[in-house]
Each structure stands twice: as C-alpha cells, then as structure tokens.
Amino acid sequence: MSKSLVIVESPSKAKTIGKFLGSKYKVIASVGHVRDLPKSKLGINIENGFEPEYISIRGKGDVIKALKKEAKGVDKVYLATDPDREGEAISWHIAYLLGIDIEKPCRIVFNEITKGAIRNAVKNPRPIDKRLVDAQQARRVLDRLVGYKISPLLWRKVRRGLSAGRVQSAALKIICDREKSILDFIPKEYWIISALLGKSKKSTSKKQFVAKLIEQDGKKITVENEQQAKQILSEIDKSQFIVDKIERKERMKRPMPPFTTSSLQQEASTKLGFYTKKTMLIAQQLYEGVELKGQGTVGLVTYIRTDSVRISNEAQEAVTAFITETYSKEYLGNHVYSNKKKDVQDAHEAIRPSNVELTPDSIKDSLSKDQYNLYKLIWSRFVASRMKASVYDGIAVEIKNHSYTFKANGSKLKFDGYLKIYNNRNEEDEDKMLPDMQEGEVLNLVDLLSDQNFTQPPSRFTEAGLVKDLEEKDIGRPSTYAPIIATLIERKYVNREKKVLKPTELGFVVTDLMKTYFKEIVDAGFTAGMEDQLDDIEVKDIHWKSVVEGFYTTLAEELEVADAAIEKVQMEDELTDEVCELCGKPMAIKHGRFGEFLACSGYPECKNTKPRVKKIDVACPKCGKDIVARKSKNGKLFYGCSGYPECNQLFWNKPINQKCPKCGALMTEKKTKTTKLMCSNPECGYKE
C-alpha cells in the first residue's frame, strides 16, 4: 500500500492531524526549526552578498535522522508547517535536508485544523513559495546583523549580557520616551462646575440629575483656578436654570471585528489579565487541538497569527445560521470590516472558532480555566461581529443660566444586539435617564458644586497598550510582540510593575546610546518603513539581499563611529539587604557571563562573591535552612537547600508550606489540567 508522510511543527498538531488522515498517512513533527544561523558566530557571509550560513540546530540530530528515515519509506512527503512566512521557511529548510524539489507540489497549508480543511489541503498541494521564504530570510538576516553587531558593542561599553534588536530597540525607546514624558509632566489645575437639578423641590434623588457648565456667552469655558470658580459661582442665578434646548436621537454602537493577533493580545490583557506570552501560548493550544470528551482531539480556533479581519464564506454561512437559530433573525447583522492596511498577511482569516456550534459552555468540562476563558473570548467576539449593533435612545439637554450654559446627557439601551453575548460597554453606555422636560421649563437647583482637578500625566504602557502603539506605528509584526516584551523584561531593560511597563536605569542608558549612535534603528518611522520594504520582498518580488545591503551600509558606518566615540559606561551598583559575612558591608548585584551574582561592595578590599538566590519562604525538611530557587547549568529552574553542599535537598517543582496528608512530605506546585498540587515524595504519588 502506498503511503504518504506529512511533516508538521509540533507533536500535538501531529496527533490531531493524524486522526483526520487515516492509515495511508503518517504524521510526524519537526518540533520547530531544524536549521538556523549558528549561535556561536554571525553566520552571514557579508562579502558574499550576505549569504546565510545555515547549520542544523544543535540537539536536533535525532529529529533530523527520524525525518530522513521516515521520508525514505514513502511515496510522497507533504510539508504542513504553519501558513505564514516562518512556516514556509521551516518547510524550505526541511525540503533541503530531505532533498525535496521545492518547485514540485510538496507544500500543504490550512487555516484551521479540522477534518475538512486537512483533507482539502492534502488534495491541493503547491510548490514552496520562495517569496515567503525570502521575506523571512531577510528579517532573520537583518535581525542577526543588528543583534550580533551592536550587542557586542553594548557588552564592551556597558556590561555583559545586553542585546539590541531591530524591533526590540525601537520598542524600548517608545517605553523610555513615555517615561520621560511622565517625569517631565507639569500638572495644570482646572475646576469642574456642575449643578444638581430636579424638576421641582419635591424631586427625589432618583429624579435628580447633574448638568455640567460648558459655555459662557456661547463659547467653551475653562475654569483654571479657585478664584475664577468662585467668581462664576457668585454670578450664577440659583433660580434661573431654564431648559433651553432638548435634542433626542438614536445612537448605535457597532460590534468590533473578529480578532487579529494584536487585538486578541490587547483584549486578553484587558479582559482576562493575560500577558501577551500567555495569550499566545494558550491560543496555540486551542489551534493545535484539545481533547474533547466524546469527540477526540479537535482544533478549536483558526490560525492565530494574522493581521486580517476577513472570514471565509463557509464561516459566514455557519455563523449566520447559528445566530438566526439561536437568537432570531432580528439579531443578524450585515457589517463589513476592512483591514487597517493592505497587508500580505491577509492571506489568512481572522481568528475565529473552527466550528461555531462548539459553544464555550458545551465544551467547558474539557478545557482548563484559561483555555475556556480565551476560547469564550474568541468565540463571543466572532459571533458578536456578525450581529446587529446595539441601539440607545439618547437625550442631550442644554440649560441656560443667563450667560452660562450647562449640559446634561442621558441614554437608555433600546436594543441589546451584539451585547447579548459580548459586553464591551463603557461608562458612556450605562443607562442614565433624565426626567421628562420641556423647553422653557424652569428647573429647581438642589446644589451647586465646584470640584478642583489637575491634569494627569500620560499613563505607563501596559502590555496591551504597548502592543496597540506598536501596531499603530507599524513597528514589527503581531507575532513578534510577545517575544519582544519578554526580551525587554529578561534583559532588565524594563520592569513589570502592577501590570505596567517601567524602564530601568539600564533601559535608559541603552536607549540613549542607541538614539545617539544608531538613530535609524530606534526611529519609529524608519522601522515602519523597513517593515514595508520587507513586505515588498513578498508582494513585489524584490530581491531580499538588496534590502539587506541597503540597511547594512548605514549600519556599518554607524558601528565604526560608535565604537570609537562611546566610552565605558559606569553603572552604579544595586545594593541589597544581604550583608557580606566576611567584612560586614552590603552585598551588591553584579552581572557576569552566566547572569546575576552577588559581590561585596567593599571590592577590591573584599573579594567575596556568591550566587544570587531567591528565597521562597519554605524551610528545608532535612536541615531547616531556607529553600531557594536556583538554575541548573542548562538554565532549568529548580529548588534546593541554601545549605548546599552540606545538604543536598532538591525539588524540581516549587515546594509549598503544606504537608502531604498521605505521607507527611512537602507538597509541591504542579499545575496541569487535572492537577494543582502533588507530593514531593516520588514513592507516594498523592495529587490534588
């Protein structure tokens, strides 16, 4: 029997697809990239037209060996990596290793992991799209040139372990610029004057309403200080609040379009409190497939890396039928959404449920809490985008008091529309009813109010806010936002404080150096223009090496100037509360080749150093000393006794101050779909 091999990136994706294709197909995973630029050197032959020097990724030898073995025993190999530039490049690299002709139909793509989509893809293979590959190569080479040319300069001039990036540095500058505007902000005083009014002296509090002062002699009025406020209050006639104008009109609020990658990251941050990295991790799980009771593994959402808001005709027909049957035709909308920009990533649909009939509550028992919350967000937003707008009855009343004009607004929800399943109402949308009034009617003053206020500085970026700003400035691409933010935090350029991003001293130092010597790299306009050039490689078939050459010519000149001009930057030591046991002086945080460590601030008189460890407020069950978080040589986190090497107590999961009810050993955190805590004693096996 002839057999075909299908190669995907992830094992979970392979498992889902394998169930759809049957015994004539074998589905295996490459587990991501198999070839890349070497980590130990630049890996780009600049003199030979910026030719990349790809190598097999260290640690992928067994995977590559397995791919070659499986490919030998089949009639056909299909490359089914993700349907974007990155996925196309992975397929290209696999084709090179397996000796597959990329001009022959070997590539299959699908926007959702469903039986129909997979089988249709297998019936319609195509050659590898070299334009997509070249667009990815150009980005990879540019990022490598920036990272491997500027980062060593930062190591020499500032400290080891720092990095610069084509998009990362521009994002850091945006965060630092916002912080500077906050520090430079000078608050300005202003006053709000308002009247609490009723139809008569007998009006109850429910019938009373607030009208704000907006004009004097037909011109907008700004009350800048207490003296001006008192002057206005003295001029107001408390018995002359006369209804001058009443305007009634319907107000409609349209639903938002279905999610793109960036809008999903923003909304998940706002509504669910998810960091961008967490959002993408859970969304990937939903895309690759979740085991549903009685249905097997099912891909719940379409591809999660997209800039497009369009949906397929099939999806439109399905959601139309669902809304009509579930809510009635009265709720069915006909909105047309357009993308913010004409982008090559419009090859994909918006993020939507693969099967709208799989409502969140119907599969809740098969999902983790986070999976359920994110799926519900995606499902609700998609269905809502195809429903009618909500409708409000609005009323605006202008009230005259001689030369002064006060205004009050009211509204009431008339038709809920899409709000039936997706609530994004704000303060303006809340029901605020005004009593029935007639023009010329005299109102009763209950109280005259004056409130002092001060203008507020711009707020620091949340992750959602930064993603929105990067997208609006066209810096980077949505799929890169999560790793960019993670890198900024990991490099200590930015701290995350109460869900906002605050630049560190180091972040300012690096940004100032980049602004001075590498202006174009941190310039938002230049970075956005470079993104357009990179897109043109795909859209207009521009040769990718010419784009790289144009960029590198300027970079090489700037590197030479910067290396000669920048002097060693002296950073102040960050002192800790820990005291040196040799001389009594405070220990300071230092940065070395392998990360942070503690060193005595009395150096060079005292040369005491020690690893920097984090206490977790749990005592060692063997000796009573503190259990601390550590990292192994390969970077894996574990928990061990601070008394090491005298005490060798070790935990791979985080221990907590709770004993196992079965054997008395410490319990540890083990967060999976079915388990939250488990006993640290491997012979016990107790779980909660």
Side-chain angles (χ1 to χ4, degrees), residues 134 533 536-547:
D134 287 346
Q533 287 188 55
D536 287 344
I537 295 169
E538 178 183 341
V539 178
K540 299 180 181 178
D541 207 15
I542 294 173
H543 197 277
W544 71 270
K545 289 183 179 180
S546 64
V547 175

Side-chain angles (χ1 to χ4, degrees), residues 36-55 136-149 544-545 548-549 551-552 555:
D36 198 4
L37 299 172
K39 288 186 176 181
S40 58
K41 61 178 183 177
L42 180 65
I44 298 166
N45 192 331
I46 296 172
E47 288 72 26
N48 188 27
F50 301 93
E51 187 66 28
E53 299 171 351
Y54 294 116
I55 63 168
Q136 191 275 341
Q137 281 197 102
R139 280 179 164 79
R140 186 75 184 97
V141 170
L142 279 178
D143 291 342
R144 174 56 67 100
L145 288 170
V146 172
Y148 274 51
K149 289 292 186 178
W544 71 270
K545 289 183 179 180
V548 173
E549 184 178 6
F551 174 84
Y552 184 73
L555 176 63

Side-chain angles (χ1 to χ4, degrees), residues 114-370:
T114 60
K115 194 171 187 177
I118 301 301
R119 291 190 170 182
N120 184 61
V122 171
K123 291 177 183 176
N124 297 281
R126 62 164 173 78
I128 286 176
D129 190 336
K130 195 59 167 54
R131 294 179 307 167
L132 285 172
V133 175
D134 287 346
Q136 191 275 341
Q137 281 197 102
R139 280 179 164 79
R140 186 75 184 97
V141 170
L142 279 178
D143 291 342
R144 174 56 67 100
L145 288 170
V146 172
Y148 274 51
K149 289 292 186 178
I150 299 180
S151 297
L153 180 69
L154 296 177
W155 282 41
R156 293 196 303 274
K157 303 297 185 178
V158 185
R159 74 176 185 212
R160 296 182 70 89
L162 302 184
S163 70
R166 181 176 58 88
V167 180
Q168 167 195 316
S169 299
L172 178 59
K173 180 179 180 292
I174 288 172
I175 296 171
C176 289
D177 286 348
R178 174 63 61 89
E179 190 68 20
K180 284 182 178 178
S181 68
I182 293 170
L183 295 172
D184 294 341
F185 182 80
I186 300 173
K188 290 185 178 180
E189 181 183 8
Y190 70 97
W191 288 69
I192 295 175
I193 294 176
S194 53
L196 181 61
L197 302 168
K199 284 177 67 69
S200 68
K201 290 182 179 180
K202 295 180 180 180
S203 296
T204 63
S205 58
K206 289 184 178 180
K207 296 286 187 179
Q208 296 169 359
F209 63 96
V210 174
K212 291 182 179 180
L213 176 64
I214 59 165
E215 290 179 351
Q216 182 179 21
D217 294 324
K219 295 180 181 178
K220 183 180 177 181
I221 185 170
T222 301
V223 185
E224 297 179 346
N225 52 55
E226 186 177 11
Q227 182 180 355
Q228 185 184 359
K230 286 182 176 179
Q231 177 66 30
I232 292 170
L233 291 175
S234 68
E235 294 174 359
I236 290 174
D237 187 338
K238 296 182 180 181
S239 62
Q240 286 294 308
F241 284 90
I242 302 171
V243 177
D244 181 60
K245 184 180 177 183
I246 299 176
E247 185 179 358
R248 291 182 174 87
K249 63 179 180 180
E250 270 191 357
R251 177 171 64 86
M252 300 178 71
K253 185 170 183 177
R254 280 180 41 139
M256 300 291 285
F259 284 126
T260 61
T261 304
S262 134
S263 60
L264 175 63
Q265 291 172 350
Q266 293 171 51
E267 195 78 341
S269 175
T270 303
K271 285 187 176 293
L272 305 178
F274 287 1
Y275 296 133
T276 52
K277 187 176 181 180
K278 180 177 180 179
T279 298
M280 297 309 292
L281 177 67
I282 298 167
Q284 186 74 23
Q285 295 168 3
L286 297 176
Y287 167 66
E288 291 185 348
V290 176
E291 192 75 24
L292 299 185
K293 294 176 181 177
Q295 299 185 53
T297 307
V298 178
L300 293 177
V301 301
T302 53
Y303 190 54
I304 60 171
R305 294 175 181 87
T306 175
D307 297 338
S308 176
V309 295
R310 73 171 181 83
I311 65 168
S312 67
N313 292 334
E314 294 84 355
Q316 178 65 54
E317 290 170 5
V319 73
T320 296
F322 179 84
I323 293 169
T324 304
E325 185 179 329
T326 309
Y327 304 106
S328 83
K329 278 189 176 181
E330 185 185 9
Y331 281 88
L332 187 61
N334 59 351
H335 308 292
V336 177
Y337 303 101
S338 57
N339 297 324
K340 290 184 178 179
K341 54 174 278 187
K342 297 296 179 185
D343 190 274
V344 290
Q345 295 285 41
D346 191 48
H348 312 311
E349 288 186 63
I351 302 171
R352 61 168 177 81
S354 301
N355 180 359
V356 72
E357 298 287 343
L358 289 176
T359 63
D361 287 341
S362 71
I363 59 173
K364 186 174 183 179
D365 291 344
S366 299
L367 305 178
S368 69
K369 181 181 177 183
D370 288 339

Side-chain angles (χ1 to χ4, degrees), residues 57 129 229-230 364 392 400 402 431 478 539 595 670 674 687:
I57 295 173
D129 190 336
K230 286 182 176 179
K364 186 174 183 179
Y392 294 84
K400 285 284 188 181
H402 299 297
D431 285 349
V539 178
K670 179 70 172 178
T674 57
K687 296 179 181 180

